[in-house]
Amino acid sequence: MTGSTWNLEALLTGSWRGATSVLLSNSSLHIVVDTGLPHEAHQLLEALKKKGLAPADIGMVINTHFHVDHVLNNCLFPSSLIYGPQESYEWCQALYTDLAEAAGWEKRVLKYYPETFEYGRAEANMNKLRKFTLRWWDAGRLGLPAQFRWTETHPLPTGLEPLVTHGHVPGHLSLIVSNPGRPTVIAGDALLTRDHDEQVLTMIPHNRAQALLDRGRILALGGRIFPGHDREFSPSDYCCSGGL
């Protein structure tokens, strides 16, 4: 892979329930980081078309983690390699299997989110999130097994540094893009928004203390930040610490 400068542009701007999708391009490779929900497929394709690109032009997809809102348009890129953390893939697959079985799911979910009862609205929200997940989850939209390359064992292209930020889910991956000057960070859900995390329809952190540390690490890097559920910003323009 060439070491030339990476250009970054949002394809889908993150919102209270939709995840950010980012296009990374250099002189030899186009990469889509996170692909969104099925109903956003046309938006994703249209955003690529406006940049003169088709799915066949995308050499690689990178998934920060495998929550439904980040991965369910992987299937739009059948000729791309798909890079992502195996730990998150297996963890989310197990979570969604347990959520799908109605009897006793409230108890089983505590295996994945042991801090649920430490949050005032988490128990009620978990039921809403379960319904949202069961509405959209379709493992067939993740891509074919032969496409996957796990980031634990396969290096990313030159200039892309994996940053494991596992407070949100085990194995969660943020990306540091090492262009000249201050770095750019594609945070995924290690940093949901600049300061309104409570408004995002997503799971609580797997580990809140670690999630706060992850958020602080990303903010401390400076430069451009693409949050998981907000438009890009720079910490120099940002005065609030945010909350989880």
Side-chain angles (χ1 to χ4, degrees):
M1 300 289 182
T2 181
S4 61
T5 298
W6 290 96
N7 296 313
L8 294 89
E9 299 177 82
L11 296 170
L12 301 173
T13 299
S15 66
W16 67 277
R17 82 169 190 174
T20 300
S21 176
V22 178
L23 175 67
L24 275 164
S25 298
N26 67 13
S27 59
S28 64
L29 182 63
H30 299 292
I31 300 174
V32 171
V33 182
D34 288 340
T35 61
L37 286 158
H39 72 278
E40 298 173 306
H42 69 288
Q43 296 171 247
L44 187 62
L45 293 174
E46 185 62 26
L48 286 170
K49 184 178 179 180
K50 287 180 179 178
K51 302 180 190 308
L53 298 172
D57 298 314
I58 304 303
M60 182 182 297
V61 169
I62 299 176
N63 294 137
T64 59
H65 64 299
F66 287 86
H67 275 160
V68 292
D69 52 329
H70 290 258
V71 297
L72 290 187
N73 288 317
N74 286 4
C75 58
L76 299 178
F77 306 98
S79 61
S80 305
L81 294 176
I82 301 173
Y83 280 62
Q86 184 176 13
E87 184 177 13
S88 170
Y89 176 86
E90 293 177 350
W91 190 89
C92 287
Q93 290 271 19
L95 167 65
Y96 295 151
T97 297
D98 277 346
L99 287 179
E101 187 177 342
W105 73 267
E106 299 94 337
K107 183 176 181 180
R108 290 194 303 276
V109 80
L110 295 177
K111 293 189 300 181
Y112 308 94
Y113 294 100
E115 300 173 2
T116 296
F117 298 119
E118 297 177 20
Y119 293 79
R121 295 181 297 170
E123 187 175 5
N125 284 347
M126 198 65 76
N127 186 57
K128 296 177 184 177
L129 287 162
R130 176 177 180 265
K131 291 179 180 178
F132 180 85
T133 295
L134 295 182
R135 175 186 177 187
W136 292 115
W137 177 245
D138 179 356
R141 295 187 65 90
L142 294 179
L144 298 173
Q147 292 178 261
F148 280 92
R149 303 291 185 273
W150 303 123
T151 53
E152 290 92 339
T153 54
H154 288 77
L156 294 174
T158 301
L160 304 182
E161 178 184 344
L163 177 66
V164 178
T165 44
H166 53 273
H168 185 65
V169 299
H172 184 285
L173 179 72
S174 301
L175 293 175
I176 301 174
V177 184
S178 301
N179 284 335
R182 292 185 300 172
T184 297
V185 183
I186 303 174
D189 283 0
L191 194 150
L192 296 174
T193 73
R194 61 189 68 199
D195 59 4
H196 295 295
D197 289 2
E198 73 283 353
Q199 297 180 11
V200 177
L201 182 65
T202 189
M203 298 288 193
I204 63 173
H206 167 72
N207 181 319
R208 175 157 45 179
Q210 183 61 51
L212 288 169
L213 289 173
D214 293 338
R215 181 184 179 93
R217 290 165 68 197
I218 291 170
L219 289 171
L221 290 170
R224 297 168 70 190
I225 296 175
F226 287 83
H229 290 268
D230 201 353
R231 66 188 185 278
E232 68 169 283
F233 71 99
S234 296
S236 59
D237 301 325
Y238 172 81
C239 63
C240 304
S241 61
L244 295 166

